[in-house]
Amino acid sequence: MTTDLEALCTLLAGRRVVALTGAGCSTESGIPDYRSEGTRKRARNPMQYRAFLHDARARARYWARSLHGWPRIASARPNDAHRALAAMEREGALVGLITQNVDRLHHAAGSARIVELHGALAEVRCLACGTTAPRAQVQERLLHANPGFVERPVELNPDGDAELEDDALEGFRVVACEACGGVLKPDVVFFGDSVPRPRVDAAHAMVREADAMLVVGSSLAVYSGLRFVRAAAERAIPIAILNVGETRGDALATLRLEARAGAVLPIVAERIATRDARSA
């Protein structure tokens, strides 16, 4: 790992880097990812966009699980990986950050230029009138409408979700938009939906600005992230992948490092800053 770490620092030093982050960047903050051993054993079909739109029971299932899962997202704090990426941006080594995560931990760590491909759980939007509300406020309304519901034990899943049997949904009450009574949806991209075009364009703009790409904690299994690695490869800029486990982008990588992001990125941020200072 020492040799690979030195190679990573050398590859990134003096270059304008764009970072692409996934769930593995947040696991050290206590948020499960989709492909670790524990979550793979409880694999299930994720919420589909069309089901949420057209099936009231599917919406109840989502909000019931989210009622259990949201507190973990809300209480999570940035880890060393988030802080290191923010430091790299402050030092001018990072031109921007594209994230597939919906936990807002990059913001909390101090990163400024962020494209949230899949949105953020912290916001809820009415599908009828477009009114937005903080997720914390909706949580309080759900708790009030379903007293005692969160007292049952559950297993937590990625993205503020939880394991909950269908029979537990009996009597669960979903709250509506306070402005118009419309359907509320977390302001995130569900499976089967598309990333809004302005976000895609903003992310591509970051890739065009960069001299190198750093992928952190993503298996790149979802096309919404993989497309930017392919775009970097088309520009023939170096691509470094820091992840635990294989990724769909490995064949495009200039350098591949298998390690925890929180163990590696603080060292990278410090060494890049030192080398850049010496060369200035």
Side-chain angles (χ1 to χ4, degrees), residues 18-20 98-100 115 117-118 195-197 199-207 213 215 220 222-235 237 239 252:
V18 60
L20 171 64
I98 305 164
T99 186
Q100 297 169 283
V115 174
L117 285 177
H118 300 155
V195 177
R197 189 76 238 174
R199 295 181 200 167
V200 176
D201 292 343
H204 275 302
M206 283 187 184
V207 176
M213 171 173 278
V215 178
L220 301 173
V222 180
Y223 175 71
S224 65
L226 179 62
R227 69 178 124 190
F228 301 110
V229 178
R230 290 177 174 171
E234 289 173 4
R235 293 193 58 233
I237 63 175
I239 300 168
L252 302 174

PDB file of all heavy atoms in Angstrom, residues 18-20 98-100 115 117-118 195-197 199-207 213 215 220 222-235 237 239 252:
ATOM      1  N   VAL A  18     -10.672  16.472 -10.161  1.00  0.00           N
ATOM      2  CA  VAL A  18     -12.104  16.386  -9.896  1.00  0.00           C
ATOM      3  C   VAL A  18     -12.346  15.075  -9.155  1.00  0.00           C
ATOM      4  O   VAL A  18     -11.821  14.028  -9.547  1.00  0.00           O
ATOM      5  CB  VAL A  18     -12.950  16.460 -11.190  1.00  0.00           C
ATOM      6  CG1 VAL A  18     -12.609  15.328 -12.164  1.00  0.00           C
ATOM      7  CG2 VAL A  18     -14.439  16.430 -10.855  1.00  0.00           C
ATOM      8  N   ALA A  19     -13.085  15.128  -8.068  1.00  0.00           N
ATOM      9  CA  ALA A  19     -13.372  13.935  -7.273  1.00  0.00           C
ATOM     10  C   ALA A  19     -14.785  13.446  -7.569  1.00  0.00           C
ATOM     11  O   ALA A  19     -15.716  14.247  -7.745  1.00  0.00           O
ATOM     12  CB  ALA A  19     -13.221  14.233  -5.786  1.00  0.00           C
ATOM     13  N   LEU A  20     -14.931  12.142  -7.619  1.00  0.00           N
ATOM     14  CA  LEU A  20     -16.238  11.490  -7.758  1.00  0.00           C
ATOM     15  C   LEU A  20     -16.391  10.549  -6.582  1.00  0.00           C
ATOM     16  O   LEU A  20     -15.608   9.611  -6.432  1.00  0.00           O
ATOM     17  CB  LEU A  20     -16.312  10.733  -9.080  1.00  0.00           C
ATOM     18  CG  LEU A  20     -17.527   9.815  -9.292  1.00  0.00           C
ATOM     19  CD1 LEU A  20     -18.819  10.623  -9.314  1.00  0.00           C
ATOM     20  CD2 LEU A  20     -17.390   9.004 -10.578  1.00  0.00           C
ATOM     21  N   ILE A  98     -18.029  15.707  -7.414  1.00  0.00           N
ATOM     22  CA  ILE A  98     -19.281  15.110  -7.894  1.00  0.00           C
ATOM     23  C   ILE A  98     -19.600  13.968  -6.938  1.00  0.00           C
ATOM     24  O   ILE A  98     -18.770  13.077  -6.746  1.00  0.00           O
ATOM     25  CB  ILE A  98     -19.117  14.551  -9.322  1.00  0.00           C
ATOM     26  CG1 ILE A  98     -18.607  15.629 -10.275  1.00  0.00           C
ATOM     27  CG2 ILE A  98     -20.430  13.960  -9.823  1.00  0.00           C
ATOM     28  CD1 ILE A  98     -18.067  15.076 -11.585  1.00  0.00           C
ATOM     29  N   THR A  99     -20.768  13.987  -6.332  1.00  0.00           N
ATOM     30  CA  THR A  99     -21.086  12.919  -5.384  1.00  0.00           C
ATOM     31  C   THR A  99     -22.378  12.213  -5.743  1.00  0.00           C
ATOM     32  O   THR A  99     -23.342  12.832  -6.197  1.00  0.00           O
ATOM     33  CB  THR A  99     -21.155  13.439  -3.932  1.00  0.00           C
ATOM     34  OG1 THR A  99     -21.328  12.327  -3.038  1.00  0.00           O
ATOM     35  CG2 THR A  99     -22.308  14.428  -3.737  1.00  0.00           C
ATOM     36  N   GLN A 100     -22.363  10.898  -5.545  1.00  0.00           N
ATOM     37  CA  GLN A 100     -23.566  10.083  -5.683  1.00  0.00           C
ATOM     38  C   GLN A 100     -24.298   9.965  -4.347  1.00  0.00           C
ATOM     39  O   GLN A 100     -25.371   9.373  -4.287  1.00  0.00           O
ATOM     40  CB  GLN A 100     -23.189   8.688  -6.192  1.00  0.00           C
ATOM     41  CG  GLN A 100     -22.552   8.687  -7.569  1.00  0.00           C
ATOM     42  CD  GLN A 100     -21.947   7.345  -7.921  1.00  0.00           C
ATOM     43  OE1 GLN A 100     -20.874   6.981  -7.449  1.00  0.00           O
ATOM     44  NE2 GLN A 100     -22.640   6.592  -8.749  1.00  0.00           N
ATOM     45  N   VAL A 115     -21.547  18.901  -6.857  1.00  0.00           N
ATOM     46  CA  VAL A 115     -22.710  18.500  -7.641  1.00  0.00           C
ATOM     47  C   VAL A 115     -23.281  17.250  -6.985  1.00  0.00           C
ATOM     48  O   VAL A 115     -22.612  16.213  -6.922  1.00  0.00           O
ATOM     49  CB  VAL A 115     -22.343  18.202  -9.110  1.00  0.00           C
ATOM     50  CG1 VAL A 115     -23.565  17.653  -9.851  1.00  0.00           C
ATOM     51  CG2 VAL A 115     -21.826  19.449  -9.805  1.00  0.00           C
ATOM     52  N   LEU A 117     -25.420  14.503  -7.554  1.00  0.00           N
ATOM     53  CA  LEU A 117     -26.087  13.843  -8.677  1.00  0.00           C
ATOM     54  C   LEU A 117     -27.478  13.352  -8.312  1.00  0.00           C
ATOM     55  O   LEU A 117     -28.418  13.484  -9.098  1.00  0.00           O
ATOM     56  CB  LEU A 117     -25.246  12.658  -9.168  1.00  0.00           C
ATOM     57  CG  LEU A 117     -23.995  12.975  -9.972  1.00  0.00           C
ATOM     58  CD1 LEU A 117     -23.267  11.677 -10.311  1.00  0.00           C
ATOM     59  CD2 LEU A 117     -24.334  13.745 -11.234  1.00  0.00           C
ATOM     60  N   HIS A 118     -27.602  12.762  -7.144  1.00  0.00           N
ATOM     61  CA  HIS A 118     -28.861  12.128  -6.757  1.00  0.00           C
ATOM     62  C   HIS A 118     -29.667  12.943  -5.763  1.00  0.00           C
ATOM     63  O   HIS A 118     -30.625  12.440  -5.180  1.00  0.00           O
ATOM     64  CB  HIS A 118     -28.581  10.726  -6.188  1.00  0.00           C
ATOM     65  CG  HIS A 118     -27.904   9.833  -7.171  1.00  0.00           C
ATOM     66  ND1 HIS A 118     -27.108   8.763  -6.787  1.00  0.00           N
ATOM     67  CD2 HIS A 118     -27.888   9.845  -8.533  1.00  0.00           C
ATOM     68  CE1 HIS A 118     -26.638   8.158  -7.872  1.00  0.00           C
ATOM     69  NE2 HIS A 118     -27.101   8.800  -8.941  1.00  0.00           N
ATOM     70  N   VAL A 195     -31.247  11.591 -13.573  1.00  0.00           N
ATOM     71  CA  VAL A 195     -30.568  12.732 -12.963  1.00  0.00           C
ATOM     72  C   VAL A 195     -30.900  13.972 -13.782  1.00  0.00           C
ATOM     73  O   VAL A 195     -30.798  13.955 -15.009  1.00  0.00           O
ATOM     74  CB  VAL A 195     -29.041  12.510 -12.944  1.00  0.00           C
ATOM     75  CG1 VAL A 195     -28.335  13.741 -12.364  1.00  0.00           C
ATOM     76  CG2 VAL A 195     -28.688  11.261 -12.148  1.00  0.00           C
ATOM     77  N   PRO A 196     -31.350  15.059 -13.149  1.00  0.00           N
ATOM     78  CA  PRO A 196     -31.681  16.283 -13.902  1.00  0.00           C
ATOM     79  C   PRO A 196     -30.533  16.752 -14.780  1.00  0.00           C
ATOM     80  O   PRO A 196     -29.372  16.725 -14.373  1.00  0.00           O
ATOM     81  CB  PRO A 196     -32.000  17.293 -12.793  1.00  0.00           C
ATOM     82  CG  PRO A 196     -32.446  16.453 -11.636  1.00  0.00           C
ATOM     83  CD  PRO A 196     -31.608  15.208 -11.707  1.00  0.00           C
ATOM     84  N   ARG A 197     -30.866  17.191 -15.977  1.00  0.00           N
ATOM     85  CA  ARG A 197     -29.865  17.589 -16.964  1.00  0.00           C
ATOM     86  C   ARG A 197     -28.901  18.648 -16.452  1.00  0.00           C
ATOM     87  O   ARG A 197     -27.689  18.578 -16.707  1.00  0.00           O
ATOM     88  CB  ARG A 197     -30.583  18.100 -18.222  1.00  0.00           C
ATOM     89  CG  ARG A 197     -29.687  18.356 -19.416  1.00  0.00           C
ATOM     90  CD  ARG A 197     -29.295  17.051 -20.058  1.00  0.00           C
ATOM     91  NE  ARG A 197     -27.851  16.897 -20.086  1.00  0.00           N
ATOM     92  CZ  ARG A 197     -27.233  15.792 -20.491  1.00  0.00           C
ATOM     93  NH1 ARG A 197     -27.942  14.741 -20.872  1.00  0.00           N
ATOM     94  NH2 ARG A 197     -25.929  15.702 -20.495  1.00  0.00           N
ATOM     95  N   ARG A 199     -27.651  19.082 -13.550  1.00  0.00           N
ATOM     96  CA  ARG A 199     -26.630  18.453 -12.704  1.00  0.00           C
ATOM     97  C   ARG A 199     -25.618  17.696 -13.560  1.00  0.00           C
ATOM     98  O   ARG A 199     -24.407  17.749 -13.299  1.00  0.00           O
ATOM     99  CB  ARG A 199     -27.274  17.493 -11.700  1.00  0.00           C
ATOM    100  CG  ARG A 199     -28.161  18.153 -10.673  1.00  0.00           C
ATOM    101  CD  ARG A 199     -28.725  17.121  -9.720  1.00  0.00           C
ATOM    102  NE  ARG A 199     -29.911  17.617  -9.040  1.00  0.00           N
ATOM    103  CZ  ARG A 199     -30.746  16.864  -8.342  1.00  0.00           C
ATOM    104  NH1 ARG A 199     -30.518  15.559  -8.226  1.00  0.00           N
ATOM    105  NH2 ARG A 199     -31.805  17.391  -7.761  1.00  0.00           N
ATOM    106  N   VAL A 200     -26.114  16.979 -14.552  1.00  0.00           N
ATOM    107  CA  VAL A 200     -25.216  16.244 -15.445  1.00  0.00           C
ATOM    108  C   VAL A 200     -24.277  17.214 -16.147  1.00  0.00           C
ATOM    109  O   VAL A 200     -23.062  16.990 -16.234  1.00  0.00           O
ATOM    110  CB  VAL A 200     -26.022  15.426 -16.473  1.00  0.00           C
ATOM    111  CG1 VAL A 200     -25.085  14.746 -17.473  1.00  0.00           C
ATOM    112  CG2 VAL A 200     -26.882  14.378 -15.771  1.00  0.00           C
ATOM    113  N   ASP A 201     -24.829  18.319 -16.633  1.00  0.00           N
ATOM    114  CA  ASP A 201     -24.011  19.306 -17.339  1.00  0.00           C
ATOM    115  C   ASP A 201     -22.965  19.924 -16.414  1.00  0.00           C
ATOM    116  O   ASP A 201     -21.804  20.135 -16.817  1.00  0.00           O
ATOM    117  CB  ASP A 201     -24.897  20.413 -17.918  1.00  0.00           C
ATOM    118  CG  ASP A 201     -25.785  19.907 -19.051  1.00  0.00           C
ATOM    119  OD1 ASP A 201     -25.500  18.817 -19.604  1.00  0.00           O
ATOM    120  OD2 ASP A 201     -26.777  20.601 -19.375  1.00  0.00           O
ATOM    121  N   ALA A 202     -23.362  20.218 -15.172  1.00  0.00           N
ATOM    122  CA  ALA A 202     -22.420  20.812 -14.217  1.00  0.00           C
ATOM    123  C   ALA A 202     -21.286  19.838 -13.886  1.00  0.00           C
ATOM    124  O   ALA A 202     -20.123  20.237 -13.751  1.00  0.00           O
ATOM    125  CB  ALA A 202     -23.148  21.219 -12.938  1.00  0.00           C
ATOM    126  N   ALA A 203     -21.615  18.564 -13.780  1.00  0.00           N
ATOM    127  CA  ALA A 203     -20.597  17.553 -13.496  1.00  0.00           C
ATOM    128  C   ALA A 203     -19.638  17.397 -14.678  1.00  0.00           C
ATOM    129  O   ALA A 203     -18.417  17.307 -14.504  1.00  0.00           O
ATOM    130  CB  ALA A 203     -21.256  16.224 -13.164  1.00  0.00           C
ATOM    131  N   HIS A 204     -20.180  17.378 -15.887  1.00  0.00           N
ATOM    132  CA  HIS A 204     -19.316  17.292 -17.070  1.00  0.00           C
ATOM    133  C   HIS A 204     -18.399  18.509 -17.167  1.00  0.00           C
ATOM    134  O   HIS A 204     -17.235  18.393 -17.581  1.00  0.00           O
ATOM    135  CB  HIS A 204     -20.164  17.160 -18.337  1.00  0.00           C
ATOM    136  CG  HIS A 204     -20.567  15.763 -18.657  1.00  0.00           C
ATOM    137  ND1 HIS A 204     -19.644  14.749 -18.863  1.00  0.00           N
ATOM    138  CD2 HIS A 204     -21.794  15.190 -18.810  1.00  0.00           C
ATOM    139  CE1 HIS A 204     -20.283  13.629 -19.137  1.00  0.00           C
ATOM    140  NE2 HIS A 204     -21.588  13.864 -19.098  1.00  0.00           N
ATOM    141  N   ALA A 205     -18.903  19.671 -16.769  1.00  0.00           N
ATOM    142  CA  ALA A 205     -18.080  20.882 -16.791  1.00  0.00           C
ATOM    143  C   ALA A 205     -16.889  20.737 -15.844  1.00  0.00           C
ATOM    144  O   ALA A 205     -15.773  21.175 -16.165  1.00  0.00           O
ATOM    145  CB  ALA A 205     -18.922  22.097 -16.418  1.00  0.00           C
ATOM    146  N   MET A 206     -17.108  20.130 -14.677  1.00  0.00           N
ATOM    147  CA  MET A 206     -16.009  19.892 -13.749  1.00  0.00           C
ATOM    148  C   MET A 206     -14.963  18.968 -14.359  1.00  0.00           C
ATOM    149  O   MET A 206     -13.755  19.189 -14.216  1.00  0.00           O
ATOM    150  CB  MET A 206     -16.539  19.276 -12.448  1.00  0.00           C
ATOM    151  CG  MET A 206     -17.216  20.233 -11.517  1.00  0.00           C
ATOM    152  SD  MET A 206     -17.592  19.382  -9.949  1.00  0.00           S
ATOM    153  CE  MET A 206     -18.493  20.685  -9.104  1.00  0.00           C
ATOM    154  N   VAL A 207     -15.428  17.913 -15.018  1.00  0.00           N
ATOM    155  CA  VAL A 207     -14.494  16.971 -15.644  1.00  0.00           C
ATOM    156  C   VAL A 207     -13.658  17.679 -16.705  1.00  0.00           C
ATOM    157  O   VAL A 207     -12.447  17.442 -16.822  1.00  0.00           O
ATOM    158  CB  VAL A 207     -15.251  15.771 -16.250  1.00  0.00           C
ATOM    159  CG1 VAL A 207     -14.287  14.839 -16.985  1.00  0.00           C
ATOM    160  CG2 VAL A 207     -15.993  14.994 -15.160  1.00  0.00           C
ATOM    161  N   MET A 213      -8.773  12.701 -12.449  1.00  0.00           N
ATOM    162  CA  MET A 213      -9.988  12.328 -11.716  1.00  0.00           C
ATOM    163  C   MET A 213      -9.624  11.383 -10.583  1.00  0.00           C
ATOM    164  O   MET A 213      -8.788  10.479 -10.749  1.00  0.00           O
ATOM    165  CB  MET A 213     -11.009  11.649 -12.635  1.00  0.00           C
ATOM    166  CG  MET A 213     -12.194  11.035 -11.885  1.00  0.00           C
ATOM    167  SD  MET A 213     -13.507  10.402 -12.968  1.00  0.00           S
ATOM    168  CE  MET A 213     -14.394  11.932 -13.307  1.00  0.00           C
ATOM    169  N   VAL A 215     -11.625   8.855  -8.017  1.00  0.00           N
ATOM    170  CA  VAL A 215     -12.869   8.184  -7.623  1.00  0.00           C
ATOM    171  C   VAL A 215     -12.684   7.660  -6.208  1.00  0.00           C
ATOM    172  O   VAL A 215     -11.706   6.949  -5.921  1.00  0.00           O
ATOM    173  CB  VAL A 215     -13.207   7.019  -8.580  1.00  0.00           C
ATOM    174  CG1 VAL A 215     -14.481   6.308  -8.128  1.00  0.00           C
ATOM    175  CG2 VAL A 215     -13.350   7.529 -10.016  1.00  0.00           C
ATOM    176  N   LEU A 220     -19.010   2.196  -8.954  1.00  0.00           N
ATOM    177  CA  LEU A 220     -19.381   2.658 -10.294  1.00  0.00           C
ATOM    178  C   LEU A 220     -20.372   1.710 -10.964  1.00  0.00           C
ATOM    179  O   LEU A 220     -20.430   1.620 -12.191  1.00  0.00           O
ATOM    180  CB  LEU A 220     -18.135   2.830 -11.173  1.00  0.00           C
ATOM    181  CG  LEU A 220     -17.102   3.827 -10.632  1.00  0.00           C
ATOM    182  CD1 LEU A 220     -15.834   3.794 -11.480  1.00  0.00           C
ATOM    183  CD2 LEU A 220     -17.688   5.234 -10.590  1.00  0.00           C
ATOM    184  N   VAL A 222     -23.529   2.035 -10.971  1.00  0.00           N
ATOM    185  CA  VAL A 222     -24.632   2.806 -11.544  1.00  0.00           C
ATOM    186  C   VAL A 222     -24.079   3.743 -12.617  1.00  0.00           C
ATOM    187  O   VAL A 222     -23.078   4.433 -12.399  1.00  0.00           O
ATOM    188  CB  VAL A 222     -25.351   3.617 -10.444  1.00  0.00           C
ATOM    189  CG1 VAL A 222     -26.500   4.419 -11.039  1.00  0.00           C
ATOM    190  CG2 VAL A 222     -25.875   2.671  -9.360  1.00  0.00           C
ATOM    191  N   TYR A 223     -24.754   3.791 -13.737  1.00  0.00           N
ATOM    192  CA  TYR A 223     -24.269   4.565 -14.882  1.00  0.00           C
ATOM    193  C   TYR A 223     -24.141   6.051 -14.558  1.00  0.00           C
ATOM    194  O   TYR A 223     -23.282   6.741 -15.123  1.00  0.00           O
ATOM    195  CB  TYR A 223     -25.205   4.376 -16.078  1.00  0.00           C
ATOM    196  CG  TYR A 223     -24.850   5.245 -17.266  1.00  0.00           C
ATOM    197  CD1 TYR A 223     -23.705   4.980 -18.020  1.00  0.00           C
ATOM    198  CD2 TYR A 223     -25.635   6.344 -17.624  1.00  0.00           C
ATOM    199  CE1 TYR A 223     -23.355   5.783 -19.099  1.00  0.00           C
ATOM    200  CE2 TYR A 223     -25.296   7.150 -18.695  1.00  0.00           C
ATOM    201  CZ  TYR A 223     -24.151   6.862 -19.426  1.00  0.00           C
ATOM    202  OH  TYR A 223     -23.811   7.662 -20.484  1.00  0.00           O
ATOM    203  N   SER A 224     -24.956   6.562 -13.642  1.00  0.00           N
ATOM    204  CA  SER A 224     -24.934   7.995 -13.343  1.00  0.00           C
ATOM    205  C   SER A 224     -23.556   8.457 -12.898  1.00  0.00           C
ATOM    206  O   SER A 224     -23.187   9.614 -13.098  1.00  0.00           O
ATOM    207  CB  SER A 224     -25.973   8.337 -12.267  1.00  0.00           C
ATOM    208  OG  SER A 224     -25.635   7.731 -11.045  1.00  0.00           O
ATOM    209  N   GLY A 225     -22.746   7.577 -12.297  1.00  0.00           N
ATOM    210  CA  GLY A 225     -21.380   7.933 -11.939  1.00  0.00           C
ATOM    211  C   GLY A 225     -20.365   7.465 -12.961  1.00  0.00           C
ATOM    212  O   GLY A 225     -19.408   8.181 -13.284  1.00  0.00           O
ATOM    213  N   LEU A 226     -20.574   6.271 -13.506  1.00  0.00           N
ATOM    214  CA  LEU A 226     -19.624   5.690 -14.451  1.00  0.00           C
ATOM    215  C   LEU A 226     -19.427   6.569 -15.679  1.00  0.00           C
ATOM    216  O   LEU A 226     -18.329   6.650 -16.239  1.00  0.00           O
ATOM    217  CB  LEU A 226     -20.105   4.302 -14.874  1.00  0.00           C
ATOM    218  CG  LEU A 226     -19.231   3.549 -15.879  1.00  0.00           C
ATOM    219  CD1 LEU A 226     -17.840   3.271 -15.310  1.00  0.00           C
ATOM    220  CD2 LEU A 226     -19.906   2.245 -16.307  1.00  0.00           C
ATOM    221  N   ARG A 227     -20.480   7.267 -16.108  1.00  0.00           N
ATOM    222  CA  ARG A 227     -20.358   8.090 -17.325  1.00  0.00           C
ATOM    223  C   ARG A 227     -19.266   9.141 -17.209  1.00  0.00           C
ATOM    224  O   ARG A 227     -18.644   9.513 -18.207  1.00  0.00           O
ATOM    225  CB  ARG A 227     -21.697   8.751 -17.651  1.00  0.00           C
ATOM    226  CG  ARG A 227     -22.130   9.817 -16.679  1.00  0.00           C
ATOM    227  CD  ARG A 227     -23.446  10.444 -17.104  1.00  0.00           C
ATOM    228  NE  ARG A 227     -24.439  10.351 -16.043  1.00  0.00           N
ATOM    229  CZ  ARG A 227     -25.714  10.648 -16.216  1.00  0.00           C
ATOM    230  NH1 ARG A 227     -26.159  11.039 -17.384  1.00  0.00           N
ATOM    231  NH2 ARG A 227     -26.573  10.542 -15.218  1.00  0.00           N
ATOM    232  N   PHE A 228     -19.016   9.641 -15.987  1.00  0.00           N
ATOM    233  CA  PHE A 228     -18.013  10.691 -15.827  1.00  0.00           C
ATOM    234  C   PHE A 228     -16.596  10.107 -15.853  1.00  0.00           C
ATOM    235  O   PHE A 228     -15.656  10.782 -16.278  1.00  0.00           O
ATOM    236  CB  PHE A 228     -18.279  11.472 -14.550  1.00  0.00           C
ATOM    237  CG  PHE A 228     -19.637  12.112 -14.547  1.00  0.00           C
ATOM    238  CD1 PHE A 228     -20.639  11.657 -13.708  1.00  0.00           C
ATOM    239  CD2 PHE A 228     -19.939  13.131 -15.437  1.00  0.00           C
ATOM    240  CE1 PHE A 228     -21.908  12.215 -13.736  1.00  0.00           C
ATOM    241  CE2 PHE A 228     -21.198  13.694 -15.474  1.00  0.00           C
ATOM    242  CZ  PHE A 228     -22.191  13.234 -14.629  1.00  0.00           C
ATOM    243  N   VAL A 229     -16.457   8.865 -15.400  1.00  0.00           N
ATOM    244  CA  VAL A 229     -15.170   8.182 -15.535  1.00  0.00           C
ATOM    245  C   VAL A 229     -14.881   7.951 -17.016  1.00  0.00           C
ATOM    246  O   VAL A 229     -13.748   8.147 -17.484  1.00  0.00           O
ATOM    247  CB  VAL A 229     -15.175   6.855 -14.755  1.00  0.00           C
ATOM    248  CG1 VAL A 229     -13.844   6.119 -14.924  1.00  0.00           C
ATOM    249  CG2 VAL A 229     -15.450   7.111 -13.273  1.00  0.00           C
ATOM    250  N   ARG A 230     -15.898   7.561 -17.748  1.00  0.00           N
ATOM    251  CA  ARG A 230     -15.717   7.381 -19.190  1.00  0.00           C
ATOM    252  C   ARG A 230     -15.383   8.704 -19.866  1.00  0.00           C
ATOM    253  O   ARG A 230     -14.554   8.752 -20.790  1.00  0.00           O
ATOM    254  CB  ARG A 230     -16.985   6.771 -19.793  1.00  0.00           C
ATOM    255  CG  ARG A 230     -17.201   5.314 -19.389  1.00  0.00           C
ATOM    256  CD  ARG A 230     -18.508   4.772 -19.943  1.00  0.00           C
ATOM    257  NE  ARG A 230     -18.643   3.339 -19.665  1.00  0.00           N
ATOM    258  CZ  ARG A 230     -19.758   2.638 -19.883  1.00  0.00           C
ATOM    259  NH1 ARG A 230     -20.837   3.246 -20.398  1.00  0.00           N
ATOM    260  NH2 ARG A 230     -19.795   1.354 -19.611  1.00  0.00           N
ATOM    261  N   ALA A 231     -16.005   9.781 -19.411  1.00  0.00           N
ATOM    262  CA  ALA A 231     -15.704  11.096 -19.985  1.00  0.00           C
ATOM    263  C   ALA A 231     -14.257  11.493 -19.703  1.00  0.00           C
ATOM    264  O   ALA A 231     -13.580  12.067 -20.568  1.00  0.00           O
ATOM    265  CB  ALA A 231     -16.662  12.141 -19.417  1.00  0.00           C
ATOM    266  N   ALA A 232     -13.780  11.191 -18.491  1.00  0.00           N
ATOM    267  CA  ALA A 232     -12.384  11.476 -18.159  1.00  0.00           C
ATOM    268  C   ALA A 232     -11.444  10.651 -19.027  1.00  0.00           C
ATOM    269  O   ALA A 232     -10.404  11.141 -19.493  1.00  0.00           O
ATOM    270  CB  ALA A 232     -12.132  11.200 -16.680  1.00  0.00           C
ATOM    271  N   ALA A 233     -11.800   9.382 -19.258  1.00  0.00           N
ATOM    272  CA  ALA A 233     -10.978   8.519 -20.102  1.00  0.00           C
ATOM    273  C   ALA A 233     -10.932   9.034 -21.535  1.00  0.00           C
ATOM    274  O   ALA A 233      -9.880   8.994 -22.192  1.00  0.00           O
ATOM    275  CB  ALA A 233     -11.516   7.094 -20.060  1.00  0.00           C
ATOM    276  N   GLU A 234     -12.055   9.548 -22.023  1.00  0.00           N
ATOM    277  CA  GLU A 234     -12.089  10.100 -23.377  1.00  0.00           C
ATOM    278  C   GLU A 234     -11.191  11.317 -23.506  1.00  0.00           C
ATOM    279  O   GLU A 234     -10.624  11.580 -24.578  1.00  0.00           O
ATOM    280  CB  GLU A 234     -13.531  10.463 -23.753  1.00  0.00           C
ATOM    281  CG  GLU A 234     -14.424   9.253 -23.994  1.00  0.00           C
ATOM    282  CD  GLU A 234     -15.882   9.628 -24.194  1.00  0.00           C
ATOM    283  OE1 GLU A 234     -16.176  10.850 -24.210  1.00  0.00           O
ATOM    284  OE2 GLU A 234     -16.713   8.722 -24.331  1.00  0.00           O
ATOM    285  N   ARG A 235     -11.040  12.060 -22.409  1.00  0.00           N
ATOM    286  CA  ARG A 235     -10.140  13.226 -22.417  1.00  0.00           C
ATOM    287  C   ARG A 235      -8.691  12.826 -22.171  1.00  0.00           C
ATOM    288  O   ARG A 235      -7.794  13.666 -22.216  1.00  0.00           O
ATOM    289  CB  ARG A 235     -10.570  14.230 -21.340  1.00  0.00           C
ATOM    290  CG  ARG A 235     -11.915  14.896 -21.597  1.00  0.00           C
ATOM    291  CD  ARG A 235     -12.098  16.087 -20.664  1.00  0.00           C
ATOM    292  NE  ARG A 235     -11.035  17.049 -20.841  1.00  0.00           N
ATOM    293  CZ  ARG A 235     -10.278  17.526 -19.851  1.00  0.00           C
ATOM    294  NH1 ARG A 235     -10.470  17.126 -18.603  1.00  0.00           N
ATOM    295  NH2 ARG A 235      -9.335  18.404 -20.089  1.00  0.00           N
ATOM    296  N   ILE A 237      -7.216  11.976 -19.422  1.00  0.00           N
ATOM    297  CA  ILE A 237      -6.604  12.456 -18.191  1.00  0.00           C
ATOM    298  C   ILE A 237      -6.457  11.269 -17.238  1.00  0.00           C
ATOM    299  O   ILE A 237      -7.225  10.298 -17.313  1.00  0.00           O
ATOM    300  CB  ILE A 237      -7.430  13.592 -17.535  1.00  0.00           C
ATOM    301  CG1 ILE A 237      -8.823  13.101 -17.109  1.00  0.00           C
ATOM    302  CG2 ILE A 237      -7.535  14.792 -18.477  1.00  0.00           C
ATOM    303  CD1 ILE A 237      -9.628  14.146 -16.343  1.00  0.00           C
ATOM    304  N   ILE A 239      -6.816   8.719 -14.228  1.00  0.00           N
ATOM    305  CA  ILE A 239      -7.942   8.351 -13.367  1.00  0.00           C
ATOM    306  C   ILE A 239      -7.412   7.470 -12.236  1.00  0.00           C
ATOM    307  O   ILE A 239      -6.844   6.399 -12.484  1.00  0.00           O
ATOM    308  CB  ILE A 239      -9.024   7.586 -14.153  1.00  0.00           C
ATOM    309  CG1 ILE A 239      -9.568   8.449 -15.296  1.00  0.00           C
ATOM    310  CG2 ILE A 239     -10.146   7.128 -13.220  1.00  0.00           C
ATOM    311  CD1 ILE A 239     -10.416   7.675 -16.290  1.00  0.00           C
ATOM    312  N   LEU A 252     -10.439   1.362 -16.850  1.00  0.00           N
ATOM    313  CA  LEU A 252     -10.102   2.713 -17.309  1.00  0.00           C
ATOM    314  C   LEU A 252      -9.118   3.411 -16.380  1.00  0.00           C
ATOM    315  O   LEU A 252      -8.645   4.508 -16.689  1.00  0.00           O
ATOM    316  CB  LEU A 252     -11.379   3.557 -17.420  1.00  0.00           C
ATOM    317  CG  LEU A 252     -12.469   3.026 -18.357  1.00  0.00           C
ATOM    318  CD1 LEU A 252     -13.726   3.898 -18.247  1.00  0.00           C
ATOM    319  CD2 LEU A 252     -11.974   2.978 -19.790  1.00  0.00           C
TER     320      LEU A 252
END
